[in-house]
Amino acid sequence: MSLIAPRSQEWWKDATFYQIYPRSFFDANGDGIGDLEGVRSKVDYLHWLGVDAIWLNPIYASPNADWGYDVSDYYHIDPVFGGFDEFDALLQELHRKEMRLVMDLVVNHTSTEHPWFTSSLEDPAGPCGDFYIWQQGVESGPPNNWHSFFGGSAWEFKKEREEYYLHLFAAGQADLNWENPAVRQEVYNVMEWWFRRGIDGFRMDVINMISKDSRFPNDSRILDPIATRGTPYFVNGPKLHDYLREMRSEALQRPEVTAIGECPGATVEDVRMLSNLDRRELDAVIQMELMELDHGAGGKWDIRRWRPEELAAKITEWQSGLQGAAWPANFFSNHDQPRALSRFGDDTTYRYESATMLALLLLAQSGTPFIYYGEEVGMPNADYDEIGHYLDVDTRNYYGLRTMEGKPESQVMETIRYMSRDNARSPMQWDRSPNAGFTRGTPWIPMGRRAREVSVESEQEREPSVLQEYRRLIALRKEERLLRRGRFVPVETGNPSLFAFEKRGDESALLVLVNLTASPQNSGSNSDLQTRFSAGGAPPEIYNNYRESEAPESLAPFESVIYRLAGGREERNDLSNTF
Ligand code: TEU
Ligand code: CA
C-alpha cells in the first residue's frame, strides 16, 4: 500500500523516490536502448520494492551531446524512448498504483539544435535574437576566462554573429538568457504543458545557475588549472531568487506538484533560502557537498582520499543545518556520480554489508530520499577499462585534455575508472541471462564489468540480500515517522569510525548506530553513546543488517543498527520534531 493519498499536498515529503536513467533501465523493443515501455513493464517491481515516486532523467528530443541534457524540443519525446502513447500508459500505470512521476526540466540551457538557437544565430534582430547569452570577444579571445564544467572555455565563437555564446556545459548546450522575459515565459509554458499532461513535478537541472552576473567579469581567483572558473558569477546569481519566485507564481501554483531543484555548489545557507519552508521557492534542493568529499582543489578529476568521519560530519552538518528551515533531499548516487557502493562502501568483500549500511544511512535521514536504479541491488561501478567504452562527454573531454597535455594514459584511465559518470550509467542488471536481461539486442553502452554477478534475480533469491534489506528499510521508513521527519541529534561515539545520531520526537526517539568502515569497531567508554545504553542495558533493536550481533559494544564491518529509545521528559515540550 502506498502511503500517499492522491493529490494530497506535500506528498513528496514522505515519499521515497527512485531515479531512473531511462536509457539504461529496461529495453522493451530490443534496440539496445532502454525505453518508456521498459519502465512501464517494471512498475510492478518498483511497487514491490515500495517506492512512491519516480524521477525520470530527460526523455525529450535531443541530439545527445549530453544524453538528453541538451534538449532540442521540450514538447516531443525522443523516439528511441517511445511516443506519447507509451508515456501516457506509463503515467497511468504509476498513478493506478498511487505512485508519482517527476520529470527532469533542463532549462538553464538548450541544445544548439533547438530551433530557438538556430533562429538566434541566424536572425539576431528576430524574436529569438536575445534568447541566449551572446557577447563580443575581447582582444580576439573569448569575453572572459570562465571555464565550462566539462573542460575548456565556456564560450564558443560563431562567425554568423561575430559573437560568442555561453555554454556552462558542453558546446552543444547553449545557456538561455533568463534576463529575457520571453525566455522565462517559454519555460513556464513548457512546465504548464507537462502539468496538463498529468505529471507530478519537476527535478530542475542546475536551476541555481540560471542567473548570470551580466557584467561577465573575469574570475580572478588563483585556482587549480583544471578547476571550473567563473562560478561566483553564475552559481546563485544576482536574480536567482527573483526568477524562482516568479516561476512559483507563474507556473507552480498547483498544490499537488513538486519543484525539486538541483543546485551544485549550494551551501547550507543557500539551501536555507532556496527551499525555505516559508518562502517556498523550491520544495527541496539536491545539493552536492557529500559528492565533493573526494574532490581535491582541482575539482572532480583531482581525487583526494576522504575519511569516514568527514562523511558523518557532512551528513550532520546538513541534517542539523536545514532543520526547521528547509526540506532536505538525500541521495548517495545519481547519474553524474560513481556508484556510492564503490565510492563510500566496499564493493567486493563487504558488498552486502556496506550497501545495506548506505541504505540505512540514506533512509534514516530526515527529508526525501532518492534511490538510484541499481543501488537497491548493490550494483558496483561499471569499471570499463577502455576509453572507447566511455560515452560521457565529460569523461571524453577529460581524457582528451589530459592525454594531450602528456599525462600518462594509465593515470588518466585510473582516474576515469574511479570517477567517470559512466560508472553509474551501465544497464540495470535484472537477471543472469546475457546482458543481465536488460536487452535482447546490443546494449547502447557496455554492461558493467560484474553484470553476471549481481542482479535483481540473484538478490531476490538470497536472504538477507541488499535488495531485501532495501525493501525492508523502505517499509520501516513508512511505519516510523521519526525516520522521515524526526529531529536529528548527533551522538558522540568516542570513535571516528562509528557514526551515531538520534531521530527524536516528543515522546520517543530512535538511535541510529553505524560502522562506516570495513574493520570491527568498539564504542568509546565515556561517550554520549554509552549514556544512551547505560540505563537498563541495550534498548530494543528495530533494525540490524547483521543477523548475529555484538552491538552496541562492538560493531562488525559496516554493521548498522536502529534502536528504539524510550523518550525522556525533557523532550515533552519540544515541538520542532517536524522538519
Ligand atoms: O549536472 C550538473 C552538475 O553540475 C554536475 O553534476 C555535473 O554534471 C558533473 O559535475 C560533471 O562534471 C546536471 C545533470 O545532472 C548532468 O547530467 C548534466 O550533464 C548537467 O547538469 C548539464 O545539463
Ligand atoms: Ca528500446
Side-chain angles (χ1 to χ4, degrees):
M1 242 294 277
S2 171
L3 175 97
I4 300 166
R7 301 177 75 81
S8 73
Q9 290 195 19
E10 302 199 316
W11 56 267
W12 56 87
K13 288 194 171 172
D14 292 302
T16 298
F17 273 74
Y18 186 93
Q19 182 193 346
I20 293 180
Y21 198 69
R23 195 167 282 277
S24 296
F25 194 59
F26 184 63
D27 172 23
N29 67 354
D31 66 354
I33 304 172
D35 43 48
L36 290 170
E37 195 48 29
V39 176
R40 193 175 70 91
S41 68
K42 298 298 184 183
V43 170
D44 279 342
Y45 164 73
L46 299 171
H47 191 248
W48 169 85
L49 182 60
V51 297
D52 307 291
I54 282 168
W55 154 29
L56 204 57
N57 285 101
I59 57 167
Y60 315 98
S62 164
N64 291 320
D66 187 19
W67 298 119
Y69 282 95
D70 48 325
V71 179
S72 54
D73 186 345
Y74 294 99
Y75 300 100
H76 276 99
I77 294 172
D78 184 333
V80 299
F81 295 126
F84 279 108
D85 288 348
E86 287 76 17
F87 179 82
D88 292 340
L90 168 61
L91 190 58
Q92 232 179 43
E93 180 71 19
L94 287 168
H95 284 173
R96 196 166 33 234
K97 296 214 154 66
E98 293 192 1
M99 292 160 82
R100 299 282 175 272
L101 180 66
V102 163
M103 300 263 292
D104 226 301
L105 182 75
V106 191
V107 291
N108 173 68
H109 43 264
T110 72
S111 165
T112 48
E113 291 182 24
H114 195 290
W116 298 338
F117 188 83
T118 326
S119 151
S120 191
L121 179 65
E122 288 162 4
D123 185 10
C128 295
D130 200 23
F131 263 42
Y132 295 85
I133 302 178
W134 293 100
Q135 290 287 306
Q136 299 284 321
V138 174
E139 291 164 9
S140 76
N144 66 27
N145 68 355
W146 295 1
H147 259 189
S148 141
F149 284 98
F150 296 158
S153 171
W155 299 94
E156 185 83 1
F157 183 72
K158 281 289 179 187
K159 57 179 181 328
E160 291 89 332
R161 281 183 66 142
E162 291 286 320
E163 280 179 315
Y164 291 79
Y165 68 87
L166 179 70
H167 62 91
L168 296 183
F169 295 90
Q173 294 167 296
D175 282 56
L176 282 164
N177 177 19
W178 277 69
E179 298 273 336
N180 182 346
V183 166
R184 305 203 298 274
Q185 192 53 55
E186 290 287 355
V187 169
Y188 307 146
N189 294 347
V190 168
M191 293 171 69
E192 178 59 21
W193 191 90
W194 282 97
F195 288 144
R196 291 208 174 149
R197 194 116 215 154
I199 68 163
D200 304 291
F202 283 113
R203 171 272 188 191
M204 301 174 171
D205 194 59
V206 290
I207 200 69
N208 63 333
M209 302 189 194
I210 55 179
S211 166
K212 278 85 177 173
D213 184 329
S214 42
R215 296 164 303 167
F216 301 102
N218 274 317
D219 187 343
S220 57
R221 295 173 301 165
I222 316 255
L223 292 175
D224 192 286
I226 67 169
T228 310
R229 253 176 208 283
T231 49
Y233 307 108
F234 57 76
V235 171
N236 227 348
K239 297 196 181 143
L240 176 62
H241 291 287
D242 298 341
Y243 295 156
L244 291 177
R245 271 195 295 270
E246 184 185 89
M247 182 192 270
R248 174 65 68 182
S249 73
E250 297 291 314
L252 285 168
Q253 283 302 318
R254 297 161 188 267
E256 73 277 15
V257 302
T258 190
I260 299 164
E262 186 217 22
C263 299
T267 62
V268 169
E269 270 319 300
D270 296 335
V271 175
R272 284 171 68 95
M273 296 285 276
L274 288 165
S275 62
N276 188 285
L277 297 173
D278 301 322
R279 293 161 59 103
R280 264 205 93 207
E281 292 172 10
L282 296 167
D283 294 315
V285 166
I286 296 173
Q287 52 80 20
M288 299 291 159
E289 284 206 341
L290 208 58
M291 302 293 115
E292 288 161 9
L293 222 54
D294 52 9
H295 295 187
K300 69 178 272 188
W301 298 112
D302 176 22
I303 299 164
R304 76 177 269 274
R305 289 178 72 89
W306 58 279
R307 295 191 313 274
E309 63 267 36
E310 295 174 322
L311 181 79
K314 263 297 161 223
I315 292 177
T316 301
E317 179 191 339
W318 279 91
Q319 286 281 288
S320 311
L322 297 193
Q323 205 130 255
W327 192 254
N330 303 315
F331 67 98
F332 288 123
S333 279
N334 66 32
H335 64 293
D336 292 333
Q337 305 293 334
R339 291 265 171 198
L341 170 65
S342 303
R343 191 185 201 180
F344 301 124
D346 174 339
D347 62 15
T348 53
T349 319
Y350 295 112
R351 193 183 69 88
Y352 163 81
E353 292 80 359
S354 63
T356 51
M357 178 278 282
L358 290 168
L360 184 145
L361 265 193
L362 177 68
L363 294 164
Q365 290 180 62
S366 286
T368 302
F370 289 77
I371 297 167
Y372 183 58
Y373 86 92
E375 191 173 356
E376 80 279 19
V377 291
M379 268 171 70
N381 275 347
D383 193 21
Y384 308 128
D385 52 9
E386 275 174 52
I387 186 63
H389 291 164
Y390 290 85
L391 303 179
D392 163 34
V393 56
D394 186 24
T395 306
R396 295 171 80 104
N397 284 358
Y398 170 75
Y399 180 88
L401 284 169
R402 296 287 89 87
T403 50
M404 217 161 61
E405 280 170 13
K407 196 174 162 119
E409 218 245 348
S410 61
Q411 262 178 45
V412 174
M413 282 311 294
E414 197 189 328
T415 303
I416 286 176
R417 285 175 77 160
Y418 175 86
M419 192 54 97
S420 172
R421 306 197 291 182
D422 282 336
N423 272 316
R425 295 178 180 185
S426 63
M428 177 68 173
Q429 294 159 200
W430 294 102
D431 58 36
R432 295 192 184 86
S433 68
N435 297 321
F438 162 70
T439 179
R440 8 179 238 283
T442 308
W444 72 281
I445 192 168
M447 300 303 299
R449 216 161 47 79
R450 292 164 60 193
R452 292 208 154 256
E453 197 187 311
V454 177
S455 67
V456 171
E457 184 181 36
S458 63
E459 290 282 316
Q460 264 173 340
E461 290 165 5
R462 256 202 301 270
E463 179 68 56
S465 70
V466 179
L467 180 59
Q468 307 284 6
E469 297 306 287
Y470 261 93
R471 184 165 182 252
R472 186 165 287 146
L473 282 164
I474 293 166
L476 187 63
R477 185 177 166 88
K478 285 201 167 89
E479 281 162 32
E480 298 285 349
R481 187 173 186 277
L482 293 181
L483 289 178
R484 306 190 306 273
R485 292 183 180 236
R487 193 155 63 85
F488 180 96
V489 181
V491 173
E492 184 52 56
T493 64
N495 176 343
S497 300
L498 286 183
F499 182 26
F501 54 86
E502 279 186 10
K503 295 302 291 293
R504 265 192 213 163
D506 298 338
E507 303 291 333
S508 63
L510 301 175
L511 175 73
V512 173
L513 176 60
V514 168
N515 179 356
L516 297 169
T517 71
S519 340
Q521 301 290 342
N522 293 312
S523 40
S525 47
N526 292 321
S527 65
D528 242 15
L529 183 65
Q530 293 309 328
T531 63
R532 281 5 186 236
F533 291 134
S534 51
E541 279 181 7
I542 63 166
Y543 180 82
N544 193 327
N545 60 348
Y546 277 72
R547 296 297 175 261
E548 278 169 37
S549 163
E550 285 165 31
E553 289 75 33
S554 164
L555 273 86
F558 300 107
E559 183 167 355
S560 304
V561 196
I562 307 176
Y563 298 97
R564 189 185 305 285
L565 303 177
R569 274 192 79 80
E570 86 266 23
E571 285 150 36
R572 274 275 161 80
N573 296 327
D574 179 8
L575 298 176
S576 59
N577 64 316
T578 47
F579 234 79

